[in-house]
Amino acid sequence: MKHDRDASDHLPLERYRSYLLILARAQLIPRIRQKLDASDVVQQTLCRAHEARDQFTAREPGALLAWLRKILTHTISNAVRDLKRDKRDVGLERSLEANVEKSSCRLEGWLAAKAPSPSEQMVRTEQLLQITDALAALPDAQRDVILLKHCQGLSLAEIGAQMDRTPASVASLLRRGLQELRQKLAGTEAVHDSE
């Protein structure tokens, strides 16, 4: 059992900060984002995960991401509930959980492998973390447009309404954001190729 305890003590939770931040930003609509900071939600999520690390015993690839997503969902739900000062809303939690899963699946959809082996799953997880690191490094407006378009599946007009921008402005932000994202990812691959 000492080995299991040691493994849980060394969960690399900080490595998942950008991943959680991107998922949190995708769920916090602008009106809530004015009152609730995604970085604070992620910090609370990581603290809760650290406190509960002994409960995480899974060894299969992807299990840590699923566990962190579940904690993130509960953290967002609790924060939104506190803003509304209502009792627990199970429907909100289920809706948030479904939306977090959908956003995560859309991010993972950028990595085009079907039924990966455990080693391929580990590679995909690392690629997913590289994508979320690159997304987190984008300017806020570009990142938000990419998340709204590719994680929530909104149209340019819907994004424009949420961000108080014209569809043409949204399209321009999206184009520049995707271009910068590709450059950041190409730079990441160049660093890994040189190692």
Side-chain angles (χ1 to χ4, degrees):
M1 279 307 194
K2 182 178 184 335
H3 175 71
D4 289 342
R5 170 77 178 171
D6 290 345
S8 69
D9 285 344
H10 299 298
L11 285 176
L13 298 177
E14 189 60 34
R15 177 65 184 105
Y16 298 89
R17 182 176 294 276
S18 293
Y19 173 74
L20 294 169
L21 185 61
I22 292 303
L23 291 177
R25 286 181 194 265
Q27 301 315 307
L28 298 175
I29 59 175
R31 150 176 63 100
I32 291 179
R33 221 182 287 161
Q34 294 171 355
K35 299 175 185 175
L36 188 62
D37 184 56
S39 296
D40 293 341
V41 169
V42 169
Q43 183 62 34
Q44 289 174 6
T45 299
L46 290 172
C47 286
R48 288 178 180 164
H50 181 72
E51 290 167 0
R53 68 188 178 279
D54 292 339
Q55 297 170 15
F56 181 76
T57 58
R59 296 284 182 215
E60 60 274 1
L64 181 58
L65 291 178
W67 184 65
L68 289 171
R69 284 192 305 267
K70 190 159 202 71
I71 295 171
L72 176 68
T73 299
H74 290 294
T75 304
I76 292 172
S77 177
N78 290 340
V80 170
R81 182 196 68 227
D82 289 347
L83 286 175
K84 293 181 176 182
R85 301 282 188 246
D86 289 336
K87 293 183 179 179
R88 182 175 179 200
D89 183 349
V90 176
L92 173 65
E93 269 185 46
R94 287 185 184 139
S95 173
L96 276 170
E97 190 167 349
N99 287 340
V100 168
E101 287 300 318
K102 187 166 89 174
S103 293
S104 177
C105 286
R106 286 180 181 212
L107 282 172
E108 290 178 29
W110 290 0
L111 309 171
K114 294 205 182 223
S117 68
S119 63
E120 290 170 331
Q121 179 62 39
M122 289 174 61
V123 169
R124 284 182 64 181
T125 297
E126 185 55 35
Q127 290 171 335
L128 180 62
L129 294 176
Q130 289 172 1
I131 289 170
T132 56
D133 286 346
L135 277 166
L138 290 177
D140 290 347
Q142 290 178 1
R143 179 185 52 243
D144 289 347
V145 168
I146 291 172
L147 292 177
L148 291 169
K149 178 68 177 161
H150 294 288
C151 289
Q152 292 189 2
L154 299 182
S155 70
L156 296 181
E158 291 168 325
I159 296 168
Q162 278 201 22
M163 296 182 70
D164 198 26
R165 293 178 179 264
T166 66
S169 169
V170 169
S172 178
L173 273 173
L174 183 61
R175 186 175 46 258
R176 288 193 319 265
L178 289 172
Q179 181 179 8
E180 191 167 335
L181 181 62
R182 283 185 200 100
Q183 290 171 347
K184 288 182 182 305
L185 291 172
T188 302
E189 290 170 8
V191 168
H192 288 294
D193 289 343
S194 68
E195 290 177 350

